[in-house]
Amino acid sequence: MEVETPYGPGRLEIDVAESPWLVLALTHGSAGGVDAPDLLAVRDVALEAGVSVARVVQPFRLRGARAPGPAARQDEAWLALIGALRARLPGLPLVQGGRSNGARVACRTAREAGAEGVVALAFPLHPPGKPERSRADELRAAGVPVLVVNGDRDPFGVPAEADADRLVVLAGEGHDLKREPARVGAEVARWLAERVRPRCSPDRSAGAGR
């Protein structure tokens, strides 16, 4: 479904689980799409675990741009998309996340979106070769538990364990996390079951939004 935002239309690609207890909103990086291997792997395991999934195409990507533009505008557009998602699947707790730049957006907006947690895939800790320009403050300021899944060969760096609820570093993976995306999906499913589900009370998760 297309959703109007203050900065143009975005799109929600929604897969509804049977008797869902949670909705997971996932988005792309600056130049990628919502069919990235790690995002698809996470979607598949989430659906199996009773989590409805919305893959979110942000306005800048829908119009073909490769640069997201100012962070404040990107965040405002994201919150409009999340508002539409909540209206489409009412009553379900929300976890939001994405890969690379999308993980940054999810962290920055988690409080305002009312998210229970953030899934940060390939979080870009700093521009390649510029470790002094750390973005760790975005992880620390999320205000909710954050799962970070990064590859040990990521040129954008790997966050510190202290800056996330859980840090998973996958050996042999680069920034695209595409060598073994099933491992990414398994780590997300484990974290949702162990860290997020206990936060969601039974009366909020009993089939809402079906």
Side-chain angles (χ1 to χ4, degrees), residues 27-111:
T27 193
H28 47 77
S30 294
V34 293
D35 291 330
D38 54 347
L39 296 181
L40 293 179
V42 171
R43 178 201 62 182
D44 292 347
V45 297
L47 288 171
E48 291 177 3
V51 176
S52 293
V53 179
R55 288 175 297 142
V56 183
V57 183
Q58 298 176 64
F60 78 93
R61 288 301 292 148
L62 199 59
R63 64 175 178 266
R66 294 174 64 87
R73 292 187 178 186
Q74 192 179 9
D75 293 353
E76 187 177 353
W78 175 260
L79 290 168
L81 289 159
I82 292 300
L85 176 61
R86 285 194 176 278
R88 174 67 176 79
L89 301 176
L92 285 172
L94 168 76
V95 167
Q96 60 181 30
R99 67 167 353 272
S100 194
N101 179 71
R104 297 181 63 195
V105 175
C107 287
R108 292 196 304 260
T109 61
R111 289 177 186 269

Side-chain angles (χ1 to χ4, degrees), residues 99-191:
R99 67 167 353 272
S100 194
N101 179 71
R104 297 181 63 195
V105 175
C107 287
R108 292 196 304 260
T109 61
R111 289 177 186 269
E112 192 167 353
E116 299 288 341
V118 171
V119 172
L121 307 179
F123 185 87
L125 182 63
H126 55 73
K130 299 180 179 179
E132 71 281 1
R133 293 175 55 185
S134 174
R135 299 157 178 153
D137 59 333
E138 293 180 350
L139 287 171
R140 301 185 195 115
V144 298
V146 180
L147 168 68
V148 175
V149 182
N150 272 52
D152 66 349
R153 299 182 181 180
D154 193 331
F156 290 84
V158 176
E161 190 170 2
D163 291 333
D165 177 64
R166 181 177 296 173
L167 171 67
V168 178
V169 182
L170 300 178
E173 291 281 5
H175 192 63
D176 51 20
L177 295 175
K178 69 178 184 180
R179 287 190 65 203
E180 294 184 69
R183 291 198 299 170
V184 180
E187 293 295 343
V188 173
R190 183 178 300 114
W191 183 76

Side-chain angles (χ1 to χ4, degrees), residues 2-44:
E2 285 206 358
V3 176
E4 286 296 330
T5 82
Y7 303 103
R11 187 169 66 229
L12 303 176
E13 300 187 9
I14 301 173
D15 293 283
V16 178
E18 185 175 353
S19 300
W21 60 274
L22 180 76
V23 59
L24 174 62
L26 295 170
T27 193
H28 47 77
S30 294
V34 293
D35 291 330
D38 54 347
L39 296 181
L40 293 179
V42 171
R43 178 201 62 182
D44 292 347

